Amino acid sequence: MEPSAPFTDPTPRSDSVPGSDPVRGSAPGPGPDPVRGSAPGPVRGSAPGPGPDPVRGPGSVPAPDPARGSVPASGLVPAPRAAVRRHSVRGQILQALRAALVGGELVPGEVYSAPVLAERFGVSATPVREAMQRLATEGAVDVVPNRGFRVVERTARELAELAEVRALIEVPVMLRLARTVPAARWTELRPLAEATSTAAARGDRAHYAEADRAFHRAVLALAGNTQLLSVADDLHRRSQWPLTSAPAARHADLVADAAEHTALLDALVAQDLAVVRSLVEEHFTGSGG
């Protein structure tokens, strides 16, 4: 913060004398220091420059003045606000990369650099690199030093293992929910089932994947277990990644997979436990998951 300039009264004063000012009401100026014999201090109205921060020591930048709303001379944006903006961009890039991964735009085995992807999205490389690091922790890509990130090549065996784990977790939960949740609650989920059918009818695999996970999250959320919801959603996302050299899911496969959501809701409303078990187990082995 720069020292403020001395105050200058634009009104001519030829009769100014020491003492109180009848026009401005200011207090008398300081007289000589009786101990040191020094001259009077600064001219009335001037403000002292900022001294060193008593906590941070000499040479430190003064803190903002809360009364005047000033900021340090550096003019930097406060860190929390910048962090929020960066997190928002990273989240959008992460969502776009996941869609590209599910849709087959990111090819298994291929290496992609953060700068190249950043140019595609029209952003800096930093949020792209952070998003790819998140995908690496999820097992979708591997880090290739000095090159970028390689999309993981998955096998049919891995997909079968994911389906088995999902069945072990979700089948007992859905059977319990079928016995305890009122029919009206299942009816409320029909719009989510219809959203999967709409995406499947268009052959839009990326949007179908999002709608499919939204439907399963809504069903499992009725169990009231946030840890279960987190684990199940992570397994579900992993099951949607494309297989090595596998062709994209056929249009008919997506439509059939989406139809199972409506059939599952019908079985849950009817509390038909045998049908619920059969549909859930078969659904995990389908193309859409």
Side-chain angles (χ1 to χ4, degrees):
M1 182 188 303
E2 296 294 333
S4 57
F7 177 86
T8 304
D9 188 349
T11 306
R13 300 182 58 216
S14 59
D15 57 347
S16 175
V17 294
S20 61
D21 188 329
V23 178
R24 300 169 63 191
S26 58
D33 187 323
V35 177
R36 301 170 57 191
S38 58
V43 177
R44 182 171 58 251
S46 62
D53 189 313
V55 176
R56 301 170 61 189
S60 59
V61 178
D65 184 347
R68 301 176 60 187
S70 56
V71 297
S74 62
L76 296 178
V77 178
R81 188 178 304 170
V84 168
R85 283 203 295 267
R86 189 174 71 177
H87 179 75
S88 176
V89 173
R90 183 186 64 182
Q92 294 176 34
I93 297 300
L94 178 60
Q95 183 177 1
L97 289 174
R98 282 173 172 164
L101 185 66
V102 173
E105 296 177 55
L106 297 180
V107 182
E110 292 293 325
V111 176
Y112 298 88
S113 70
V116 171
L117 291 173
E119 185 176 356
R120 168 184 172 182
F121 291 118
V123 298
S124 68
T126 298
V128 174
R129 190 172 290 107
E130 291 174 344
M132 294 297 279
Q133 290 286 357
R134 173 63 182 273
L135 290 177
T137 63
E138 295 176 356
V141 300
D142 291 327
V143 178
V144 181
N146 302 321
R147 291 186 60 193
F149 302 85
R150 177 184 290 110
V151 178
V152 172
E153 300 181 82
R154 298 173 56 250
T155 65
R157 177 178 177 83
E158 290 174 315
L159 184 62
E161 291 174 348
L162 286 167
E164 181 180 2
V165 176
R166 290 185 66 196
L168 290 172
I169 294 175
E170 296 189 37
V171 170
V173 174
M174 289 196 182
L175 291 175
R176 175 164 58 86
L177 293 175
R179 292 190 295 264
T180 58
V181 175
R185 296 297 302 276
W186 298 123
T187 302
E188 295 173 357
L189 302 187
R190 290 199 181 275
L192 294 177
E194 293 170 358
T196 65
S197 297
T198 300
R202 295 197 308 263
D204 189 338
R205 183 174 176 82
H207 281 85
Y208 177 82
E210 289 295 325
D212 185 39
R213 288 208 316 278
F215 173 81
H216 281 265
R217 281 197 304 268
V219 171
L220 295 177
L222 296 176
N225 187 326
T226 56
Q227 298 303 317
L228 165 71
L229 201 60
S230 176
V231 171
D233 191 58
D234 179 64
L235 291 171
H236 194 169
R237 178 179 287 111
R238 290 170 184 262
S239 71
Q240 294 174 331
W241 298 336
L243 296 176
T244 303
S245 304
R250 295 180 305 168
H251 182 219
D253 292 335
L254 289 182
V255 172
D257 195 75
E260 292 178 356
H261 294 143
T262 301
L264 176 61
L265 287 180
D266 292 338
L268 289 168
V269 169
Q271 294 185 329
D272 191 333
L273 304 187
V275 174
V276 168
R277 177 188 292 275
S278 175
L279 284 171
V280 174
E281 291 176 345
E282 292 177 5
H283 189 68
F284 290 156
T285 60
S287 60

